[in-house]
């Protein structure tokens, strides 16, 4: 019956999302009641702070994106393992008055069935175990409910959070039998999903068009490839976690088997803050530290060279000593390389 209740709340998503877009600054995103993180009939309240972050009430998870990657070419990293951030979780969502405002219209509509409505009234109103929505504890805790992680609404894991709404006193840990209850580690995992890194188009020399058997130098503009981070927090719980991604290597895939990569593995490591080395006059007889040599012409077309950066990802958070690891992530892009059949080139 809990899933039925969630479906009844779905109509609120679009309207509240529009409000959130207008009110919240671009450097922070808040997931609170009504914006798709559970789709409730109440909406989050929040205000921008001087440093560009956002404070939110009613149990919203706040993402500070001010140190994240940006731009049209930026994109999310893909875990190098089968691990994914949680598709659902539990966090504070309602005050006693908000829960009453949310549940009573559902009971009065009768669409969930009289038996379920009766059981719910007994649980939250009649004292088994809660009485009058815990109004006597107003200001001393919150009702916790499930949230679905943005973008994971159709994921089977989004259905794992089926517990009824439960109460947690301020300062107390959530019940031990609810592994999906929000923690700093879980906040770090949610922040992982918000990480955005720049596109990996590499600089080539020769650029655009190269020659058969001519070593082509490859390098990155390392000014674009600095560490990025996202901080996720639950202000009501005074907990937060910052997830950071740092570039560690570039893998070059020439787009054809008729090619040699430098180094042979095709993996160019970050060295002294840079990947590869820009070509300069006088280096024609040198082997590029990062690059490719095509052994066959691309004919009337081009080869799709793929460049993929691997990012080391770690986090720090409330009550955690030192950096904690998360699975590495990758993000790549392809670019066209035309290879002409010229055996001898004067450079």
């Amino acid at each position: 019956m809990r899933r039925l209740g969630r479906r009844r709340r779905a109509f609120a998503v679009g309207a509240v999302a529009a409000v959130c877009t207008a009110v919240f600054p671009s450097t922070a995103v808040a997931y609170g009641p009504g914006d798709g993180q559970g789709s409730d009939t109440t909406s989050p309240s929040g205000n921008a702070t001087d440093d560009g972050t956002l404070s939110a009430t009613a149990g919203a998870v706040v993402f500070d994106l001010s140190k994240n990657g940006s731009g049209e070419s930026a994109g999310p990293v893909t875990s190098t393992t089968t691990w994914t951030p949680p598709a659902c979780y539990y966090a504070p969502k309602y005050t006693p008055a908000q829960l009453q405002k949310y549940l009573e219209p559902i009971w009065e509509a009768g669409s969930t069935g009289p038996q379920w409505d009766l059981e719910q009234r007994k649980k939250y109103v009649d004292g088994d175990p809660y009485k009058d929505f815990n109004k006597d504890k107003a200001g001393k805790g919150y009702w916790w409910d499930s949230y679905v992680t943005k973008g994971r609404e159709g994921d089977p894991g989004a259905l794992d959070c089926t517990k009824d709404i439960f109460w947690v006193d301020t300062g107390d840990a959530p019940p031990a039998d609810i592994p999906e209850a929000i923690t700093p580690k879980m906040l770090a995992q949610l922040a992982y999903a918000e990480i955005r890194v720049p596109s990996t188009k590499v600089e080539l020399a020769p650029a655009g068009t190269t020659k058969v058997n001519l070593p082509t130098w490859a390098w990155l503009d390392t000014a674009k490839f600095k560490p990025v981070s996202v901080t996720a927090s639950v202000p009501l719980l005074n907990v937060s976690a910052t997830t950071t991604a740092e570039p560690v290597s570039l893998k070059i895939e020439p787009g054809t088997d008729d090619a040699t990569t430098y180094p042979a593995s095709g993996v160019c490591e970050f060295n002294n803050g840079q990947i590869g080395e820009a070509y300069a006059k006088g280096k024609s007889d040198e082997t590029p530290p990062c690059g490719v040599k095509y052994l066959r012409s691309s004919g009337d077309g081009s080869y799709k060279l793929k460049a993929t950066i691997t990012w080391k990802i770690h986090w720090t958070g409330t009550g955690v000593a030192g950096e904690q690891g998360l699975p590495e992530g990758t993000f790549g892009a392809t670019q066209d390389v035309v290879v002409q059949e010229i055996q001898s080139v004067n450079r």
Side-chain angles (χ1 to χ4, degrees), residues 208 254-256 294 297-305 335-339:
T256 173
Y294 287 96
S297 165
S298 60
D300 294 331
S302 61
Y303 293 123
K304 297 290 185 181
L305 181 146
Q335 57 198 89
D336 292 329
V337 178
V338 175
V339 182

Side-chain angles (χ1 to χ4, degrees), residues 222-245:
T222 53
K224 298 179 181 178
F225 293 91
K226 303 297 184 182
V228 299
S229 66
V230 171
T231 297
S233 64
V234 179
L236 288 177
L237 302 179
N238 197 29
V239 296
S240 66
T242 297
T243 298
T244 300

Side-chain angles (χ1 to χ4, degrees), residues 133-145:
F133 299 98
N134 264 8
K135 288 181 180 177
D136 62 329
K137 288 191 172 185
K140 300 178 182 179
Y142 283 91
W143 290 103
W144 289 43
D145 197 6

Side-chain angles (χ1 to χ4, degrees), residues 16 44 68 79 86 89 92 103 107 127 154 159 181 282 295 327:
V16 178
N68 203 10
S79 171
Y89 56 93
L103 285 178
W107 300 338
L159 301 177
L295 308 178

Side-chain angles (χ1 to χ4, degrees), residues 86-99:
C88 71
Y89 56 93
Y90 293 95
K93 186 174 287 190
Y94 305 106
T95 64
Q98 288 171 333
L99 183 62

Side-chain angles (χ1 to χ4, degrees), residues 6-85:
R6 289 198 189 97
R7 287 198 295 270
R8 288 177 54 80
R9 290 176 269 168
F11 73 93
V13 175
V16 178
V19 174
C20 291
T21 301
V23 174
F24 298 154
S26 60
T27 56
V29 179
Y31 297 137
D35 66 354
Q37 300 293 300
S39 306
D40 305 293
T41 56
T42 56
S43 61
S45 61
N47 60 280
T49 59
D50 291 339
D51 64 358
T53 60
L54 184 78
S55 61
T57 62
V61 173
V62 178
F63 293 98
D64 177 3
L65 306 178
S66 60
K67 297 180 180 179
N68 203 10
S70 60
E72 293 182 0
S73 63
V77 294
T78 300
S79 171
T80 55
T81 70
T82 57
W83 174 88
T84 59

